[in-house]
Amino acid sequence: QVQLVESGGGLVQAGGSLRLSCEASRSIFSNNAMGWYRQAPGKQRELVAGITRSGTTNYAGSVKGRFTISRDNAKNTVYLQMNSLKPEDTAVYYCAADQWITTYISPRYWGQGTQVTVSS
């Protein structure tokens, strides 16, 4: 059963913008923090941004000021607005959910991922 579904990935030119969406089941969304991770070829998976149920956010230093995570409780959806994209942002982006979103423990629930490619 698919519980997290990402969308919005694609090819964009450097400096452009893209918005990723992740729709979760009501039970998962209402009981967990949500986050976005990414993994580029040859690199470890990294936490990009996270948001708690109360709306507190955190970001990786490499994206702070450019990316914004938000959640729409009515739609059970979390978003990642990505602006001023750089080629270094190219990766597969994954939506995740758990009681805690950290860089130390893999979240319980994962989406299948969506490819983001930024050309120079």
Side-chain angles (χ1 to χ4, degrees):
Q1 184 176 32
V2 178
Q3 297 171 300
L4 299 176
V5 180
E6 302 104 329
S7 63
L11 175 65
V12 66
Q13 193 166 241
S17 298
L18 209 59
R19 188 176 78 161
L20 305 183
S21 298
C22 173
E23 184 177 8
S25 68
R26 181 181 179 182
S27 61
I28 289 177
F29 190 87
S30 64
N31 290 287
N32 293 283
M34 305 292 293
W36 288 96
Y37 292 77
R38 69 184 181 187
Q39 186 165 25
K43 297 184 178 180
Q44 293 283 71
R45 182 181 62 204
E46 65 173 333
L47 174 62
V48 176
I51 185 167
T52 68
R53 292 194 295 161
S54 62
T56 300
T57 60
N58 64 79
Y59 300 91
S62 60
V63 307
K64 194 169 186 178
R66 299 188 298 121
F67 291 11
T68 302
I69 187 171
S70 62
R71 61 193 295 160
D72 186 332
N73 295 335
K75 297 181 179 179
N76 299 321
T77 300
V78 62
Y79 303 96
L80 185 67
Q81 178 67 46
M82 304 184 292
N83 298 324
S84 301
L85 283 162
K86 305 174 181 179
E88 306 92 272
D89 295 317
T90 295
V92 177
Y93 284 70
Y94 298 91
C95 179
D98 206 338
Q99 289 292 306
W100 312 101
I101 296 295
T102 73
T103 59
Y104 310 109
I105 302 176
S106 181
R108 181 177 181 181
Y109 304 101
W110 289 91
Q112 295 300 303
T114 184
Q115 176 71 48
V116 171
T117 302
V118 184
S119 63
S120 59

mmCIF file of all heavy atoms in Angstrom, residues 10-53:
data_model
loop_
_atom_site.group_PDB
_atom_site.id
_atom_site.type_symbol
_atom_site.label_atom_id
_atom_site.label_comp_id
_atom_site.label_asym_id
_atom_site.label_seq_id
_atom_site.Cartn_x
_atom_site.Cartn_y
_atom_site.Cartn_z
ATOM 1 N N GLY A 10 11.539 17.060 -11.902
ATOM 2 C CA GLY A 10 11.728 17.282 -13.320
ATOM 3 C C GLY A 10 13.046 17.939 -13.618
ATOM 4 O O GLY A 10 13.942 17.988 -12.775
ATOM 5 N N LEU A 11 13.160 18.445 -14.830
ATOM 6 C CA LEU A 11 14.362 19.116 -15.293
ATOM 7 C C LEU A 11 14.147 20.614 -15.279
ATOM 8 O O LEU A 11 13.139 21.114 -15.799
ATOM 9 C CB LEU A 11 14.708 18.642 -16.708
ATOM 10 C CG LEU A 11 15.882 19.327 -17.409
ATOM 11 C CD1 LEU A 11 17.178 19.044 -16.671
ATOM 12 C CD2 LEU A 11 15.966 18.849 -18.850
ATOM 13 N N VAL A 12 15.083 21.332 -14.687
ATOM 14 C CA VAL A 12 14.992 22.776 -14.617
ATOM 15 C C VAL A 12 16.376 23.379 -14.810
ATOM 16 O O VAL A 12 17.387 22.762 -14.470
ATOM 17 C CB VAL A 12 14.375 23.220 -13.267
ATOM 18 C CG1 VAL A 12 15.299 22.861 -12.110
ATOM 19 C CG2 VAL A 12 14.079 24.711 -13.263
ATOM 20 N N GLN A 13 16.420 24.570 -15.361
ATOM 21 C CA GLN A 13 17.682 25.257 -15.574
ATOM 22 C C GLN A 13 18.159 25.913 -14.280
ATOM 23 O O GLN A 13 17.359 26.308 -13.431
ATOM 24 C CB GLN A 13 17.518 26.312 -16.667
ATOM 25 C CG GLN A 13 18.818 26.885 -17.194
ATOM 26 C CD GLN A 13 18.619 27.662 -18.474
ATOM 27 O OE1 GLN A 13 19.165 27.325 -19.520
ATOM 28 N NE2 GLN A 13 17.822 28.720 -18.400
ATOM 29 N N ALA A 14 19.464 26.018 -14.123
ATOM 30 C CA ALA A 14 20.026 26.666 -12.945
ATOM 31 C C ALA A 14 19.421 28.052 -12.757
ATOM 32 O O ALA A 14 19.266 28.809 -13.715
ATOM 33 C CB ALA A 14 21.543 26.768 -13.074
ATOM 34 N N GLY A 15 19.082 28.356 -11.510
ATOM 35 C CA GLY A 15 18.445 29.620 -11.199
ATOM 36 C C GLY A 15 16.939 29.551 -11.191
ATOM 37 O O GLY A 15 16.272 30.481 -10.717
ATOM 38 N N GLY A 16 16.397 28.465 -11.681
ATOM 39 C CA GLY A 16 14.965 28.296 -11.740
ATOM 40 C C GLY A 16 14.376 27.768 -10.448
ATOM 41 O O GLY A 16 15.072 27.588 -9.454
ATOM 42 N N SER A 17 13.072 27.506 -10.488
ATOM 43 C CA SER A 17 12.352 27.044 -9.313
ATOM 44 C C SER A 17 11.551 25.786 -9.612
ATOM 45 O O SER A 17 11.189 25.510 -10.761
ATOM 46 C CB SER A 17 11.394 28.132 -8.811
ATOM 47 O OG SER A 17 12.084 29.296 -8.414
ATOM 48 N N LEU A 18 11.267 25.057 -8.557
ATOM 49 C CA LEU A 18 10.489 23.835 -8.663
ATOM 50 C C LEU A 18 9.802 23.619 -7.322
ATOM 51 O O LEU A 18 10.375 23.951 -6.273
ATOM 52 C CB LEU A 18 11.410 22.666 -8.990
ATOM 53 C CG LEU A 18 10.876 21.468 -9.775
ATOM 54 C CD1 LEU A 18 10.348 21.906 -11.133
ATOM 55 C CD2 LEU A 18 11.994 20.448 -9.953
ATOM 56 N N ARG A 19 8.595 23.077 -7.342
ATOM 57 C CA ARG A 19 7.913 22.753 -6.101
ATOM 58 C C ARG A 19 7.565 21.280 -6.066
ATOM 59 O O ARG A 19 6.854 20.778 -6.937
ATOM 60 C CB ARG A 19 6.641 23.585 -5.922
ATOM 61 C CG ARG A 19 6.021 23.391 -4.532
ATOM 62 C CD ARG A 19 4.825 24.274 -4.274
ATOM 63 N NE ARG A 19 3.624 23.779 -4.925
ATOM 64 C CZ ARG A 19 2.387 24.140 -4.593
ATOM 65 N NH1 ARG A 19 2.200 25.014 -3.607
ATOM 66 N NH2 ARG A 19 1.351 23.659 -5.253
ATOM 67 N N LEU A 20 8.049 20.606 -5.052
ATOM 68 C CA LEU A 20 7.752 19.203 -4.851
ATOM 69 C C LEU A 20 6.566 19.061 -3.906
ATOM 70 O O LEU A 20 6.405 19.844 -2.973
ATOM 71 C CB LEU A 20 8.951 18.466 -4.258
ATOM 72 C CG LEU A 20 10.278 18.576 -5.016
ATOM 73 C CD1 LEU A 20 11.336 17.726 -4.324
ATOM 74 C CD2 LEU A 20 10.108 18.165 -6.467
ATOM 75 N N SER A 21 5.752 18.054 -4.151
ATOM 76 C CA SER A 21 4.608 17.768 -3.298
ATOM 77 C C SER A 21 4.684 16.335 -2.808
ATOM 78 O O SER A 21 5.177 15.456 -3.509
ATOM 79 C CB SER A 21 3.296 17.965 -4.058
ATOM 80 O OG SER A 21 3.143 19.295 -4.494
ATOM 81 N N CYS A 22 4.196 16.108 -1.615
ATOM 82 C CA CYS A 22 4.138 14.768 -1.046
ATOM 83 C C CYS A 22 2.797 14.603 -0.350
ATOM 84 O O CYS A 22 2.539 15.252 0.665
ATOM 85 C CB CYS A 22 5.286 14.548 -0.064
ATOM 86 S SG CYS A 22 5.199 12.988 0.847
ATOM 87 N N GLU A 23 1.971 13.746 -0.905
ATOM 88 C CA GLU A 23 0.675 13.475 -0.305
ATOM 89 C C GLU A 23 0.761 12.217 0.543
ATOM 90 O O GLU A 23 1.213 11.177 0.062
ATOM 91 C CB GLU A 23 -0.396 13.312 -1.385
ATOM 92 C CG GLU A 23 -1.792 13.133 -0.815
ATOM 93 C CD GLU A 23 -2.867 13.047 -1.880
ATOM 94 O OE1 GLU A 23 -2.519 12.981 -3.074
ATOM 95 O OE2 GLU A 23 -4.058 13.049 -1.526
ATOM 96 N N ALA A 24 0.343 12.325 1.778
ATOM 97 C CA ALA A 24 0.398 11.207 2.710
ATOM 98 C C ALA A 24 -1.003 10.763 3.103
ATOM 99 O O ALA A 24 -1.979 11.494 2.913
ATOM 100 C CB ALA A 24 1.187 11.591 3.954
ATOM 101 N N SER A 25 -1.095 9.574 3.660
ATOM 102 C CA SER A 25 -2.368 9.138 4.210
ATOM 103 C C SER A 25 -2.688 10.012 5.412
ATOM 104 O O SER A 25 -1.796 10.577 6.047
ATOM 105 C CB SER A 25 -2.311 7.670 4.617
ATOM 106 O OG SER A 25 -1.443 7.486 5.728
ATOM 107 N N ARG A 26 -3.956 10.126 5.726
ATOM 108 C CA ARG A 26 -4.362 10.976 6.834
ATOM 109 C C ARG A 26 -3.732 10.547 8.151
ATOM 110 O O ARG A 26 -3.277 11.387 8.935
ATOM 111 C CB ARG A 26 -5.888 10.984 6.954
ATOM 112 C CG ARG A 26 -6.412 11.877 8.069
ATOM 113 C CD ARG A 26 -7.917 11.817 8.152
ATOM 114 N NE ARG A 26 -8.424 12.645 9.237
ATOM 115 C CZ ARG A 26 -9.699 12.755 9.567
ATOM 116 N NH1 ARG A 26 -10.617 12.081 8.879
ATOM 117 N NH2 ARG A 26 -10.053 13.528 10.572
ATOM 118 N N SER A 27 -3.700 9.252 8.402
ATOM 119 C CA SER A 27 -3.165 8.759 9.663
ATOM 120 C C SER A 27 -1.678 9.065 9.809
ATOM 121 O O SER A 27 -1.217 9.450 10.884
ATOM 122 C CB SER A 27 -3.412 7.255 9.802
ATOM 123 O OG SER A 27 -2.782 6.534 8.765
ATOM 124 N N ILE A 28 -0.924 8.894 8.738
ATOM 125 C CA ILE A 28 0.503 9.180 8.786
ATOM 126 C C ILE A 28 0.754 10.674 8.930
ATOM 127 O O ILE A 28 1.549 11.119 9.755
ATOM 128 C CB ILE A 28 1.214 8.638 7.534
ATOM 129 C CG1 ILE A 28 1.252 7.106 7.579
ATOM 130 C CG2 ILE A 28 2.629 9.205 7.424
ATOM 131 C CD1 ILE A 28 1.878 6.462 6.359
ATOM 132 N N PHE A 29 0.060 11.450 8.137
ATOM 133 C CA PHE A 29 0.276 12.887 8.130
ATOM 134 C C PHE A 29 -0.072 13.529 9.473
ATOM 135 O O PHE A 29 0.649 14.401 9.958
ATOM 136 C CB PHE A 29 -0.546 13.535 7.018
ATOM 137 C CG PHE A 29 -0.205 14.977 6.779
ATOM 138 C CD1 PHE A 29 0.825 15.330 5.921
ATOM 139 C CD2 PHE A 29 -0.915 15.985 7.412
ATOM 140 C CE1 PHE A 29 1.138 16.658 5.698
ATOM 141 C CE2 PHE A 29 -0.610 17.316 7.196
ATOM 142 C CZ PHE A 29 0.418 17.655 6.340
ATOM 143 N N SER A 30 -1.154 13.108 10.066
ATOM 144 C CA SER A 30 -1.632 13.735 11.293
ATOM 145 C C SER A 30 -0.845 13.332 12.533
ATOM 146 O O SER A 30 -0.931 14.011 13.557
ATOM 147 C CB SER A 30 -3.116 13.428 11.502
ATOM 148 O OG SER A 30 -3.330 12.040 11.682
ATOM 149 N N ASN A 31 -0.088 12.258 12.458
ATOM 150 C CA ASN A 31 0.618 11.743 13.629
ATOM 151 C C ASN A 31 2.137 11.828 13.550
ATOM 152 O O ASN A 31 2.818 11.335 14.450
ATOM 153 C CB ASN A 31 0.210 10.296 13.881
ATOM 154 C CG ASN A 31 -1.209 10.166 14.378
ATOM 155 O OD1 ASN A 31 -1.499 10.495 15.529
ATOM 156 N ND2 ASN A 31 -2.101 9.693 13.523
ATOM 157 N N ASN A 32 2.654 12.452 12.510
ATOM 158 C CA ASN A 32 4.104 12.460 12.322
ATOM 159 C C ASN A 32 4.649 13.789 11.840
ATOM 160 O O ASN A 32 3.922 14.607 11.273
ATOM 161 C CB ASN A 32 4.501 11.393 11.298
ATOM 162 C CG ASN A 32 4.266 9.992 11.787
ATOM 163 O OD1 ASN A 32 5.046 9.482 12.590
ATOM 164 N ND2 ASN A 32 3.202 9.368 11.297
ATOM 165 N N ALA A 33 5.928 13.962 12.085
ATOM 166 C CA ALA A 33 6.668 15.026 11.432
ATOM 167 C C ALA A 33 6.950 14.569 10.004
ATOM 168 O O ALA A 33 6.973 13.369 9.721
ATOM 169 C CB ALA A 33 7.974 15.306 12.166
ATOM 170 N N MET A 34 7.163 15.514 9.112
ATOM 171 C CA MET A 34 7.431 15.209 7.717
ATOM 172 C C MET A 34 8.769 15.795 7.314
ATOM 173 O O MET A 34 9.208 16.803 7.869
ATOM 174 C CB MET A 34 6.338 15.775 6.819
ATOM 175 C CG MET A 34 4.924 15.342 7.171
ATOM 176 S SD MET A 34 4.625 13.582 6.859
ATOM 177 C CE MET A 34 4.747 13.530 5.067
ATOM 178 N N GLY A 35 9.394 15.173 6.335
ATOM 179 C CA GLY A 35 10.676 15.684 5.891
ATOM 180 C C GLY A 35 10.983 15.350 4.451
ATOM 181 O O GLY A 35 10.342 14.488 3.839
ATOM 182 N N TRP A 36 11.960 16.054 3.930
ATOM 183 C CA TRP A 36 12.473 15.789 2.590
ATOM 184 C C TRP A 36 13.950 15.431 2.687
ATOM 185 O O TRP A 36 14.732 16.146 3.331
ATOM 186 C CB TRP A 36 12.318 17.002 1.672
ATOM 187 C CG TRP A 36 10.910 17.278 1.247
ATOM 188 C CD1 TRP A 36 10.031 18.143 1.803
ATOM 189 C CD2 TRP A 36 10.230 16.661 0.150
ATOM 190 N NE1 TRP A 36 8.840 18.118 1.128
ATOM 191 C CE2 TRP A 36 8.934 17.216 0.107
ATOM 192 C CE3 TRP A 36 10.591 15.701 -0.807
ATOM 193 C CZ2 TRP A 36 7.988 16.840 -0.859
ATOM 194 C CZ3 TRP A 36 9.656 15.324 -1.755
ATOM 195 C CH2 TRP A 36 8.372 15.893 -1.772
ATOM 196 N N TYR A 37 14.316 14.338 2.066
ATOM 197 C CA TYR A 37 15.699 13.908 1.960
ATOM 198 C C TYR A 37 16.073 13.877 0.489
ATOM 199 O O TYR A 37 15.214 13.836 -0.377
ATOM 200 C CB TYR A 37 15.890 12.510 2.548
ATOM 201 C CG TYR A 37 15.710 12.404 4.043
ATOM 202 C CD1 TYR A 37 14.445 12.401 4.611
ATOM 203 C CD2 TYR A 37 16.813 12.288 4.886
ATOM 204 C CE1 TYR A 37 14.269 12.290 5.982
ATOM 205 C CE2 TYR A 37 16.658 12.175 6.261
ATOM 206 C CZ TYR A 37 15.384 12.173 6.799
ATOM 207 O OH TYR A 37 15.234 12.055 8.162
ATOM 208 N N ARG A 38 17.364 13.864 0.218
ATOM 209 C CA ARG A 38 17.805 13.713 -1.163
ATOM 210 C C ARG A 38 19.081 12.882 -1.210
ATOM 211 O O ARG A 38 19.837 12.820 -0.247
ATOM 212 C CB ARG A 38 18.040 15.068 -1.831
ATOM 213 C CG ARG A 38 19.230 15.854 -1.302
ATOM 214 C CD ARG A 38 19.296 17.225 -1.964
ATOM 215 N NE ARG A 38 20.445 18.000 -1.502
ATOM 216 C CZ ARG A 38 20.669 19.265 -1.821
ATOM 217 N NH1 ARG A 38 19.813 19.915 -2.615
ATOM 218 N NH2 ARG A 38 21.743 19.895 -1.366
ATOM 219 N N GLN A 39 19.285 12.242 -2.340
ATOM 220 C CA GLN A 39 20.489 11.458 -2.541
ATOM 221 C C GLN A 39 20.982 11.644 -3.968
ATOM 222 O O GLN A 39 20.260 11.371 -4.928
ATOM 223 C CB GLN A 39 20.249 9.979 -2.264
ATOM 224 C CG GLN A 39 21.515 9.143 -2.312
ATOM 225 C CD GLN A 39 21.340 7.775 -1.683
ATOM 226 O OE1 GLN A 39 20.234 7.255 -1.612
ATOM 227 N NE2 GLN A 39 22.434 7.207 -1.208
ATOM 228 N N ALA A 40 22.207 12.109 -4.083
ATOM 229 C CA ALA A 40 22.851 12.287 -5.376
ATOM 230 C C ALA A 40 23.768 11.098 -5.633
ATOM 231 O O ALA A 40 24.219 10.443 -4.689
ATOM 232 C CB ALA A 40 23.645 13.588 -5.400
ATOM 233 N N PRO A 41 24.066 10.808 -6.896
ATOM 234 C CA PRO A 41 24.942 9.686 -7.220
ATOM 235 C C PRO A 41 26.283 9.782 -6.501
ATOM 236 O O PRO A 41 26.924 10.834 -6.508
ATOM 237 C CB PRO A 41 25.123 9.798 -8.731
ATOM 238 C CG PRO A 41 23.872 10.471 -9.192
ATOM 239 C CD PRO A 41 23.565 11.472 -8.113
ATOM 240 N N GLY A 42 26.696 8.690 -5.867
ATOM 241 C CA GLY A 42 27.972 8.659 -5.186
ATOM 242 C C GLY A 42 28.006 9.359 -3.848
ATOM 243 O O GLY A 42 29.075 9.456 -3.233
ATOM 244 N N LYS A 43 26.870 9.841 -3.388
ATOM 245 C CA LYS A 43 26.825 10.553 -2.115
ATOM 246 C C LYS A 43 25.824 9.916 -1.159
ATOM 247 O O LYS A 43 24.914 9.201 -1.579
ATOM 248 C CB LYS A 43 26.466 12.016 -2.337
ATOM 249 C CG LYS A 43 27.484 12.799 -3.152
ATOM 250 C CD LYS A 43 27.101 14.258 -3.254
ATOM 251 C CE LYS A 43 28.143 15.047 -4.025
ATOM 252 N NZ LYS A 43 27.764 16.478 -4.126
ATOM 253 N N GLN A 44 26.014 10.194 0.106
ATOM 254 C CA GLN A 44 25.101 9.697 1.117
ATOM 255 C C GLN A 44 23.794 10.482 1.084
ATOM 256 O O GLN A 44 23.759 11.643 0.678
ATOM 257 C CB GLN A 44 25.727 9.812 2.509
ATOM 258 C CG GLN A 44 26.918 8.905 2.744
ATOM 259 C CD GLN A 44 26.504 7.475 2.993
ATOM 260 O OE1 GLN A 44 26.046 6.778 2.093
ATOM 261 N NE2 GLN A 44 26.671 7.022 4.227
ATOM 262 N N ARG A 45 22.746 9.836 1.513
ATOM 263 C CA ARG A 45 21.468 10.508 1.626
ATOM 264 C C ARG A 45 21.569 11.601 2.687
ATOM 265 O O ARG A 45 22.194 11.404 3.732
ATOM 266 C CB ARG A 45 20.388 9.497 2.017
ATOM 267 C CG ARG A 45 18.993 10.066 2.133
ATOM 268 C CD ARG A 45 18.027 8.971 2.544
ATOM 269 N NE ARG A 45 18.372 8.426 3.850
ATOM 270 C CZ ARG A 45 18.034 7.210 4.253
ATOM 271 N NH1 ARG A 45 17.369 6.397 3.452
ATOM 272 N NH2 ARG A 45 18.386 6.812 5.470
ATOM 273 N N GLU A 46 20.982 12.738 2.414
ATOM 274 C CA GLU A 46 21.035 13.834 3.366
ATOM 275 C C GLU A 46 19.648 14.412 3.615
ATOM 276 O O GLU A 46 18.788 14.422 2.732
ATOM 277 C CB GLU A 46 21.975 14.937 2.874
ATOM 278 C CG GLU A 46 21.517 15.639 1.608
ATOM 279 C CD GLU A 46 22.380 16.838 1.246
ATOM 280 O OE1 GLU A 46 22.983 17.444 2.162
ATOM 281 O OE2 GLU A 46 22.455 17.168 0.044
ATOM 282 N N LEU A 47 19.462 14.892 4.810
ATOM 283 C CA LEU A 47 18.219 15.560 5.167
ATOM 284 C C LEU A 47 18.245 16.971 4.595
ATOM 285 O O LEU A 47 19.171 17.738 4.847
ATOM 286 C CB LEU A 47 18.054 15.609 6.680
ATOM 287 C CG LEU A 47 16.858 16.403 7.218
ATOM 288 C CD1 LEU A 47 15.544 15.794 6.737
ATOM 289 C CD2 LEU A 47 16.906 16.457 8.737
ATOM 290 N N VAL A 48 17.224 17.307 3.840
ATOM 291 C CA VAL A 48 17.125 18.624 3.223
ATOM 292 C C VAL A 48 16.321 19.573 4.096
ATOM 293 O O VAL A 48 16.727 20.707 4.355
ATOM 294 C CB VAL A 48 16.482 18.538 1.829
ATOM 295 C CG1 VAL A 48 16.287 19.931 1.229
ATOM 296 C CG2 VAL A 48 17.344 17.680 0.911
ATOM 297 N N ALA A 49 15.164 19.121 4.541
ATOM 298 C CA ALA A 49 14.288 19.948 5.357
ATOM 299 C C ALA A 49 13.301 19.083 6.114
ATOM 300 O O ALA A 49 12.933 18.005 5.660
ATOM 301 C CB ALA A 49 13.527 20.960 4.486
ATOM 302 N N GLY A 50 12.873 19.567 7.264
ATOM 303 C CA GLY A 50 11.888 18.859 8.054
ATOM 304 C C GLY A 50 10.894 19.829 8.650
ATOM 305 O O GLY A 50 11.189 21.019 8.818
ATOM 306 N N ILE A 51 9.715 19.328 8.965
ATOM 307 C CA ILE A 51 8.678 20.147 9.577
ATOM 308 C C ILE A 51 7.897 19.302 10.573
ATOM 309 O O ILE A 51 7.497 18.178 10.280
ATOM 310 C CB ILE A 51 7.751 20.774 8.509
ATOM 311 C CG1 ILE A 51 6.744 21.726 9.164
ATOM 312 C CG2 ILE A 51 7.048 19.701 7.689
ATOM 313 C CD1 ILE A 51 6.019 22.605 8.145
ATOM 314 N N THR A 52 7.698 19.847 11.771
ATOM 315 C CA THR A 52 6.956 19.136 12.802
ATOM 316 C C THR A 52 5.464 19.326 12.608
ATOM 317 O O THR A 52 5.018 20.109 11.769
ATOM 318 C CB THR A 52 7.344 19.634 14.199
ATOM 319 O OG1 THR A 52 6.880 20.979 14.367
ATOM 320 C CG2 THR A 52 8.852 19.599 14.399
ATOM 321 N N ARG A 53 4.683 18.636 13.409
ATOM 322 C CA ARG A 53 3.234 18.770 13.321
ATOM 323 C C ARG A 53 2.772 20.175 13.688
ATOM 324 O O ARG A 53 1.740 20.632 13.209
ATOM 325 C CB ARG A 53 2.540 17.748 14.226
ATOM 326 C CG ARG A 53 2.700 16.307 13.760
ATOM 327 C CD ARG A 53 1.722 15.403 14.471
ATOM 328 N NE ARG A 53 1.981 15.335 15.896
ATOM 329 C CZ ARG A 53 1.105 14.923 16.813
ATOM 330 N NH1 ARG A 53 -0.111 14.548 16.428
ATOM 331 N NH2 ARG A 53 1.438 14.881 18.084
#
